[in-house]
Amino acid sequence: MTDLPLEGKKGMWHDPGQTRPLASSVRRRPHLSKQAPSGGRQPATRARPEEQISRTMDGISRKHRILMVSDFFFPNFGGVESHIYYLSQCLLKLGHKVVVMTHAYGKRSGVRYVTGGLKVYYVPWRPFLMQNTVPTLFMTFPIIRTILIRERISVVHGHQAFSTLCHEALMHARTMGYKVVFTDHSLYGFADVGSIHMNKVLQFTLADIDQAICVSHTSKENTVLRSGICPEKVFMVPNAVDTAMFTPSPNRLSRDEIIIVVISRLVYRKGADLLVEVIPEVCRLFPKVRFIVGGDGPKRVRLEEMREKFSLQDRVEMLGAVPHAQVRSVLISGHIFLNSSLTEAFCIAILEAASCGLLTVSTRVGGVPEVLPDDMIVLAEPDPEDMVRAVRKAIDILPGIDPQTMHLRMKRLYSWDDVAKRTEIVYDHAMQSSDTNLLHRLPKYLSCGAWAGKLFCLVMIVNYLVWCLLELLQPTGDIEQVPDIIGPLHSQLHPVDDD
């Protein structure tokens, strides 16, 4: 599998070296055949915006126009949302143009600008399940096509395997000939019904992808096995943490009382049921230990019942949902951070806790063992007895932990600027990939299965016909292109002539 030159080979937390971004080539618009069908009309004979960008930027460092697409973005909070936001901000600093597209959140609809001049399209689609929009296949094509043309996008970057908007945007972008990149943030199984269907959808999306990114080596292996994508197309680019935001307390906490912090969504996948068994046993063995639990979810009731059953109201504090801006204030009130997840591709929460100087106790699942050096984390199997053993070990080594030293190490190991530079190289690779027309792309979908392959081919053919219809009803030349915002973060982007 392909690893970026910037990363260490053994683990993602090794100090990165330096590498030079690769040059990119001009790409052409794909078409069904070299000659237009008799009596038909080929869509958009005008030069593509990204071809104009390539001509304009010949001889200078390649600057991309990137569309980030996902159902998960602010004001919703989570690992994917943070990843997209911080990555976009750092790409803006590197001189790229970045636009985000997500669905509407409540009354937040239309175009908004957030910190650093980041432009966000909150398209008027409402979520129906776990912040996902209803799958429509073709109904999102008109608005996605308009955004791509208006913003003169060159690379479409989708995030998260169970984001409906991400899958549809990548499908439409490939139909229009754009270069596409996909980042997988989660791990999935292979046996249950939900995973089987999700893996087949992922196989469809990645069948004709230019490049893919995973956040850990474990996640990379999982994605390759689930989707059948060529391993050489998959890069490992880890998450990072804003160390300027997550800093240790200036005053060392007293160890007369050991405080263990848990901040997580209280759901099955995050190991809330495991906490129900671990917390009472730890409180029994260590009278000076107290827990602070932040987060909300369907499993919160079980934790409340546990607290009542063992009379731990004075030793287990339930905070409920914690806004992201207040996470640091909760973390710096504790000595140990406890993560009980049953599956994790990476876990940004561990980085935030370590940056605040907390010793981490975590389950040994997914990509978690790759996140921190061994002296900064105590790993355990997802079993109550082993978790209690790990907590005991963490309490024993706690006197040797210096929060300020741990924070400085995190600053050297993880940086969103470094993640942006690695992602920039992935974009360069995507721009170098060869252009293929529809007839050459269809065999890739046929290989997805005896029946699924034929269905996927039919979907792509219909999608191409929908594109032709949209070009007939509203040609590309009739769609107004928006001017670039020229400022400190966009000063390296040159305006593109219309000819």
Side-chain angles (χ1 to χ4, degrees):
M1 299 180 186
T2 306
D3 289 337
L4 285 180
L6 282 173
E7 69 189 0
K9 288 296 181 182
K10 184 177 179 181
M12 63 180 67
W13 44 264
H14 288 274
D15 290 337
Q18 296 294 328
T19 189
R20 183 174 61 186
L22 301 175
S24 302
S25 58
V26 180
R27 64 190 181 86
R28 296 178 300 277
R29 182 179 197 157
H31 45 79
L32 186 60
S33 61
K34 292 186 177 180
Q35 294 182 348
S38 177
R41 171 182 176 177
Q42 271 197 330
T45 57
R46 179 184 174 184
R48 293 291 307 278
E50 52 270 34
E51 292 178 7
Q52 300 172 10
I53 296 169
S54 298
R55 291 196 298 267
T56 303
M57 297 184 176
D58 279 346
I60 65 173
S61 176
R62 169 59 62 102
K63 300 301 177 185
H64 303 288
R65 284 179 161 86
I66 306 145
L67 178 67
M68 301 281 187
V69 186
S70 182
D71 280 302
F72 310 102
F73 194 66
F74 296 135
N76 195 47
F77 287 99
V80 178
E81 293 85 345
S82 298
H83 180 101
I84 297 173
Y85 174 78
Y86 285 114
L87 175 60
S88 298
Q89 292 292 339
C90 291
L91 287 171
L92 286 172
K93 292 178 184 178
L94 291 175
H96 303 284
K97 175 178 179 178
V98 184
V99 179
V100 177
M101 185 178 75
T102 186
H103 63 71
Y105 281 89
K107 295 182 179 180
R108 188 181 295 245
S109 182
V111 179
R112 303 288 182 97
Y113 286 88
V114 298
T115 306
L118 178 62
K119 188 176 185 178
V120 184
Y121 283 89
Y122 290 95
V123 298
W125 297 93
R126 300 294 176 181
F128 83 107
L129 179 65
M130 297 176 63
Q131 294 301 330
N132 270 296
T133 51
V134 179
T136 62
L137 283 182
F138 311 114
M139 291 183 63
T140 54
F141 203 163
I143 192 167
I144 291 174
R145 170 178 174 265
T146 300
I147 293 173
L148 292 173
I149 296 173
R150 280 176 58 83
E151 299 292 344
R152 295 174 285 183
I153 297 299
S154 59
V155 178
V156 180
H157 189 169
H159 293 262
Q160 193 55 305
F162 51 83
S163 169
T164 304
L165 194 61
C166 163
H167 289 288
E168 293 187 2
L170 295 183
M171 178 182 71
H172 301 324
R174 285 304 293 141
T175 297
M176 297 178 66
Y178 288 88
K179 303 300 183 183
V180 293
V181 175
F182 171 78
T183 295
D184 200 355
H185 294 265
S186 302
L187 300 178
Y188 289 88
F190 299 88
D192 59 285
V193 175
S195 295
I196 291 172
H197 285 81
M198 189 70 254
N199 293 344
K200 185 57 70 173
V201 172
L202 185 66
Q203 186 180 20
F204 166 65
T205 299
L206 300 191
D208 191 29
I209 205 81
D210 290 300
Q211 303 293 335
I213 297 174
C214 293
V215 295
S216 67
H217 293 288
T218 302
S219 174
K220 178 195 288 188
E221 294 175 5
N222 182 262
T223 299
V224 170
L225 290 174
R226 287 160 48 215
S227 66
I229 185 175
C230 176
E232 284 72 25
K233 288 186 175 183
V234 185
F235 292 83
M236 201 291 291
V237 181
N239 286 310
V241 61
D242 184 1
T243 53
M245 178 179 180
F246 291 93
T247 57
S249 173
N251 303 315
R252 293 288 294 267
L253 296 177
S254 171
R255 292 196 175 91
D256 294 337
E257 183 181 48
I258 304 299
I259 299 176
I260 300 177
V261 178
V262 178
I263 299 182
S264 169
R265 282 175 290 150
L266 302 180
V267 296
Y268 171 77
R269 190 174 70 87
K270 294 294 184 178
D273 296 303
L274 196 58
L275 289 175
V276 171
E277 299 184 54
V278 170
I279 291 177
E281 184 64 14
V282 172
C283 290
R284 184 184 69 81
L285 294 174
F286 304 98
K288 294 184 178 180
V289 168
R290 186 164 66 88
F291 283 85
I292 297 178
V293 181
D296 206 350
K299 294 292 183 178
R300 180 176 178 176
V301 176
R302 288 209 62 196
L303 287 169
E304 298 278 7
E305 292 174 348
M306 174 271 296
R307 191 170 65 159
E308 295 289 335
K309 178 180 178 180
F310 294 96
S311 301
L312 296 174
Q313 291 88 343
D314 59 333
R315 298 184 62 187
V316 180
E317 182 180 358
M318 303 290 295
L319 300 180
V322 180
H324 193 257
Q326 299 178 16
V327 169
R328 176 191 172 268
S329 63
V330 176
L331 287 174
I332 62 175
S333 64
H335 302 84
I336 297 173
F337 179 77
L338 180 60
N339 172 56
S340 59
S341 295
L342 301 181
T343 174
E344 283 286 359
F346 187 87
C347 192
I348 294 181
I350 291 177
L351 296 187
E352 295 173 346
S355 183
C356 289
L358 277 71
L359 179 62
T360 299
V361 175
S362 177
T363 46
R364 187 185 286 106
V365 296
V368 170
E370 305 175 35
V371 176
L372 292 176
D374 293 339
D375 60 334
M376 297 174 68
I377 186 171
V378 180
L379 296 173
E381 298 301 324
D383 173 77
E385 292 184 5
D386 205 35
M387 289 289 289
V388 173
R389 177 202 59 78
V391 171
R392 181 194 298 272
K393 180 179 178 181
I395 292 175
D396 291 340
I397 66 177
L398 194 57
I401 299 298
D402 182 3
Q404 297 296 335
T405 301
M406 187 177 291
H407 175 73
L408 293 175
R409 291 179 67 186
M410 291 301 298
K411 288 183 70 174
R412 292 193 300 268
L413 296 176
Y414 286 101
S415 163
W416 281 112
D417 291 324
D418 178 57
V419 171
K421 291 175 183 176
R422 300 185 190 198
T423 306
E424 186 180 40
I425 296 174
V426 178
Y427 294 154
D428 291 335
H429 276 269
M431 294 300 293
Q432 286 187 322
S433 60
S434 59
D435 295 324
T436 55
N437 58 39
L438 180 62
L439 294 179
H440 288 124
R441 290 166 47 221
L442 290 179
K444 299 178 182 179
Y445 296 101
L446 277 175
S447 63
C448 292
W451 293 101
K454 296 179 177 63
L455 177 61
F456 294 162
C457 284
L458 178 61
V459 169
M460 294 308 297
I461 292 172
V462 173
N463 203 50
Y464 180 87
L465 295 176
V466 171
W467 179 40
C468 294
L469 178 61
L470 292 174
E471 287 286 350
L472 182 65
L473 298 176
Q474 187 181 26
T476 299
D478 293 347
I479 298 177
E480 182 183 5
Q481 296 179 351
V482 298
D484 292 326
I485 298 177
I486 304 300
L489 300 181
H490 301 80
S491 58
Q492 298 182 51
L493 275 175
H494 299 273
V496 180
D497 296 332
D498 287 336
D499 16 305

